[in-house]
Amino acid sequence: MEYQLTYKRFGERSILIEWPSKIDENILHDVLNFKDILVNSKIKSIIEVNNAYCSLLITYDYFEFYFEREVEILKNLYKKENNTTKSVSRLWNIPVCYDVNFGIDIEELSREKGLTIEALINLHTQSLYTIYFTGFLPGFLYLGGLNEVLHTPRKASPRLKIEKGAVAIGGNQTGIYPNESPGGWNIIGNSPIVFFDVSNEQPCFAKAGDKLKFYSISKKRYHDINTLVEAGVYQLESEVLHD
Amino acid sequence: MIRVLSSGLYSSIQDFGRLGFQKFGVPYSGVMDRHSASFANAIVGNSKELPVLEITMQGPKLQFEYNTSICISGADISAKLNNNLIGNNRLIVVEKGDVLSFGKLIKGFRAYIAVFGGFKTEKVMGSYSMYHNITSKSRIEKHDILEIESQKTMSTNKNASIKTNEAFFNLKKVEVFKGPEFNQLSEDQKSMLLKTEFTISKDSNRMAYQLQEVLQNSLDPIITSLVLPGTVQLTPSGKLIVLMRDCQTTGGYPRVLQLKESSINSLSQKFTGNSIKFELVNE
């Protein structure tokens, strides 16, 4: 499907392309498709292409930037839509320990929702989440697909310190804190998986367009996985998705 | 190498930052004021983007263990070599054992120390720029050792210096383009944004500068989208935030303006209490 796109100049050498303002998987696929086309187009003056929910930011080499000319090129590329080198999507299975020692807000959340902790965990682990993009912190995944029952406002005053690996809910979103950071989301568990590894050439294993599922693990299993992760021998479960 | 005898207020190694890693949520980072950093590098004969030490308001104390040549550019923080004032923007020959220190802040806010060959500290994702959780340190600390090259033959232009443009430090004008959400502002808001003299608040650092004066705001938040260093965001309470080099890669506040690259440089030399005025440039 072809969308009505808006092309805006964004500063001295960037262009922002906007899709209809919605969080929508069809839009995401079109955004990522265009992103792939641009990355594969080998236009020399493009030095960076990055996406969010329904937008694409293209940054050009400073000395070669002519807005009108670049927009013409982009419009033509979008019309052609002949992306043959579609990148493969994967489903990542992410272990989470929802024990109250990790999920420090899970008891309060279960009271507020009138749900047992078990029911709450079930709702969180049943959904198939879509990875829209990475932002906010290095390795922080923006996930779509949180069950509406679990939507919870952010805390009135953010915590100064949220543990690395914390799994949390903020508004209509859920996410994993890849490193210790301040934050205002409600913490329901912790994952022993490393979401951002600077020593890797690809510091994040997951990418926009991939899917993600959480599964519940015991404290014992958490510590076992943690040991394997720290030793660098843990094999994360994933499968290739076919359209 | 260089021994850090004291660190100063906030000193970090920076180059021109990380490009191409924003898809992993990695900030751009890099020197706040590219203009001054390039200058310092040029005088010691380096290419402009080599790693320099960025120092903020209050300088560190450094002892050199190698012969080298250095240049300090940007803010004037009364640089001294072995307790003698040396001045900015000129080539300084340094011998083993010399101590570089700083004194009173005279003008500007951030100074750059370039050394011959550049600093040889940890390089992560194509850049030497220090950033929390990317490099092992986010700034230099007392007792650190900073690797540099030992310079065998000294440059012949020992007295090289360049006159700098003083206006750069006194400039109130911040040149901007319209941001992606600029046209959603009312005519009143637009004219307030471009006529008000804004004051830099105390909540200003390498990530962002906040401005004190509040703009009436009725804009809804946007669906999280992409931002850049130099993006001016309008928060629900009407506060304006100017994102700087260490900013996040995405944000949900309306982006009303985008600073010209050269204005990010000059804004980096301003601090709490200084005033600025936005001026639209022709696109």
Side-chain angles (χ1 to χ4, degrees):
Chain A
M1 169 168 177
E2 232 180 90
Y3 292 91
Q4 204 57 35
L5 308 190
T6 317
Y7 297 80
K8 288 179 181 167
R9 181 179 183 146
F10 196 1
E12 253 156 320
R13 53 166 177 162
S14 298
I15 294 174
L16 184 73
I17 310 178
E18 294 177 321
W19 274 255
S21 186
K22 281 199 280 219
I23 299 178
D24 175 296
E25 243 183 282
N26 293 322
I27 290 178
L28 176 72
H29 286 142
D30 201 52
V31 171
L32 294 178
N33 195 42
F34 198 11
K35 184 179 170 185
D36 277 351
I37 291 173
L38 289 173
V39 170
N40 295 325
S41 71
K42 307 244 173 1
I43 299 176
K44 263 198 287 177
S45 56
I46 293 180
I47 51 178
E48 165 99 45
V49 186
N50 198 11
N51 79 287
Y53 284 113
C54 39
S55 52
L56 205 53
L57 177 74
I58 306 158
T59 299
Y60 292 83
D61 198 314
Y62 189 60
F63 299 105
E64 293 184 50
F65 185 65
Y66 301 100
F67 178 69
E68 286 78 15
R69 186 191 72 186
E70 301 302 347
V71 168
E72 272 318 300
I73 295 171
L74 292 173
K75 282 182 173 167
N76 283 326
L77 278 171
Y78 184 66
K79 258 191 241 141
K80 279 209 283 183
E81 278 275 353
N82 55 350
N83 185 15
T84 45
T85 53
K86 220 166 175 231
S87 50
V88 180
S89 300
R90 300 192 81 90
L91 165 64
W92 302 95
N93 290 305
I94 303 299
V96 177
C97 180
Y98 293 92
D99 187 277
V100 291
N101 284 319
F102 290 123
I104 49 179
D105 297 321
I106 202 167
E107 283 177 317
E108 195 183 321
L109 220 66
S110 99
R111 274 196 302 275
E112 274 172 26
K113 307 275 175 205
L115 289 170
T116 62
I117 290 181
E118 207 171 43
L120 210 139
I121 296 171
N122 278 339
L123 287 176
H124 196 250
T125 51
Q126 268 164 14
S127 294
L128 180 63
Y129 298 96
T130 302
I131 301 172
Y132 280 85
F133 59 99
T134 308
F136 170 48
L137 294 168
F140 186 92
L141 305 174
Y142 277 77
L143 302 175
L146 181 68
N147 191 304
E148 261 181 55
V149 177
L150 295 179
H151 293 190
T152 314
R154 291 166 178 79
K155 294 207 152 302
S157 49
R159 287 188 176 97
L160 289 176
K161 190 181 138 183
I162 288 181
E163 296 293 330
K164 175 182 178 179
V167 176
I169 292 174
N172 57 3
Q173 301 184 82
T174 186
I176 312 114
Y177 284 82
N179 270 303
E180 191 186 294
S181 106
W185 290 20
N186 305 279
I187 299 157
I188 58 168
N190 195 292
S191 173
I193 302 303
V194 173
F195 280 83
F196 184 77
D197 182 0
V198 280
S199 61
N200 251 344
E201 203 181 311
Q202 289 294 313
C204 305
F205 55 83
K207 63 176 192 311
D210 282 356
K211 301 273 182 186
L212 187 149
K213 255 193 119 151
F214 296 111
Y215 66 95
S216 177
I217 54 168
S218 67
K219 255 167 110 176
K220 163 88 174 63
R221 184 76 188 125
Y222 178 94
H223 291 294
D224 290 348
I225 294 178
N226 197 36
T227 308
L228 294 172
V229 167
E230 276 175 8
V233 293
Y234 182 72
Q235 278 290 330
L236 185 63
E237 291 170 39
S238 79
E239 51 204 271
V240 173
L241 292 174
H242 300 281
D243 290 332
Chain B
M1 61 184 205
I2 294 173
R3 274 179 210 287
V4 180
L5 303 180
S6 71
S7 65
L9 185 69
Y10 193 103
S11 314
S12 63
I13 300 289
Q14 299 290 338
D15 54 15
F16 271 26
R18 298 187 171 81
L19 203 65
F21 294 90
Q22 281 61 49
K23 59 176 175 287
F24 305 121
V26 174
Y28 291 91
S29 298
V31 289
M32 289 281 277
D33 173 4
R34 287 188 172 193
H35 172 76
S36 300
S38 306
F39 215 86
N41 268 327
I43 290 183
V44 296
N46 293 343
S47 60
K48 65 177 184 180
E49 74 289 346
L50 281 195
V52 292
L53 184 64
E54 178 179 279
I55 69 182
T56 317
M57 196 170 84
Q58 198 182 76
K61 199 171 184 183
L62 308 171
Q63 183 161 42
F64 291 81
E65 299 291 328
Y66 294 146
N67 294 342
T68 184
S69 45
I70 64 168
C71 174
I72 297 151
S73 198
D76 182 351
I77 319 182
S78 313
K80 289 174 243 178
L81 193 67
N82 303 326
N83 270 323
N84 300 313
L85 280 173
I86 48 176
N88 278 14
N89 306 315
R90 47 187 289 250
L91 188 77
I92 307 287
V93 173
V94 172
E95 289 176 7
K96 185 175 187 293
D98 285 353
V99 173
L100 178 70
S101 62
F102 293 84
K104 208 174 152 215
L105 178 71
I106 308 288
K107 65 160 193 234
F109 193 58
R110 291 184 168 86
Y112 295 90
I113 306 172
V115 298
F116 175 80
F119 286 86
K120 314 273 181 199
T121 49
E122 183 191 17
K123 188 179 186 181
V124 182
M125 296 176 173
S127 166
Y128 294 85
S129 293
M130 290 182 167
Y131 184 83
H132 183 58
N133 285 330
I134 302 285
T135 51
S136 50
K137 285 189 172 254
S138 53
R139 52 162 124 175
I140 65 161
E141 288 166 303
K142 191 176 176 172
H143 304 308
D144 281 358
I145 301 277
L146 307 173
E147 289 300 335
I148 58 165
E149 257 174 55
S150 166
Q151 195 175 354
K152 299 287 186 286
T153 45
M154 282 298 154
S155 155
T156 47
N157 53 338
K158 265 194 180 171
N159 294 312
S161 73
I162 309 180
K163 267 253 177 292
T164 53
N165 181 9
E166 287 307 300
F168 178 75
F169 292 96
N170 306 322
L171 219 58
K172 245 184 207 175
K173 182 175 76 177
V174 170
E175 292 186 297
V176 291
F177 296 96
K178 291 173 184 170
E181 280 75 51
F182 180 84
N183 285 326
Q184 293 177 21
L185 296 170
S186 69
E187 289 311 310
D188 276 0
Q189 285 174 312
K190 284 179 192 169
S191 90
M192 281 291 282
L193 187 60
L194 298 169
K195 279 188 186 141
T196 307
E197 220 171 75
F198 290 99
T199 316
I200 293 164
S201 100
K202 64 173 171 41
D203 302 309
S204 298
N205 52 39
R206 284 187 45 88
M207 280 180 79
Y209 273 37
Q210 294 204 25
L211 306 180
Q212 267 169 28
E213 291 75 9
V214 173
L215 203 71
Q216 284 285 345
N217 181 22
S218 49
L219 293 191
D220 289 327
I222 56 168
I223 292 178
T224 302
S225 183
L226 300 145
V227 294
L228 288 165
T231 300
V232 182
Q233 297 177 314
L234 180 60
T235 69
S237 65
K239 272 211 168 210
L240 291 161
I241 300 175
V242 187
L243 299 180
M244 298 302 272
R245 307 285 185 192
D246 275 351
C247 69
Q248 294 170 9
T249 54
T250 57
Y253 297 136
R255 302 153 291 184
V256 291
L257 299 171
Q258 178 65 36
L259 267 62
K260 256 185 91 171
E261 186 72 31
S262 57
S263 286
I264 302 178
N265 297 334
S266 55
L267 183 59
S268 301
Q269 293 299 350
K270 306 215 172 295
F271 53 97
T272 314
N274 287 170
S275 50
I276 58 166
K277 199 162 169 290
F278 295 118
E279 196 176 299
L280 273 185
V281 293
N282 289 328
E283 294 188 359

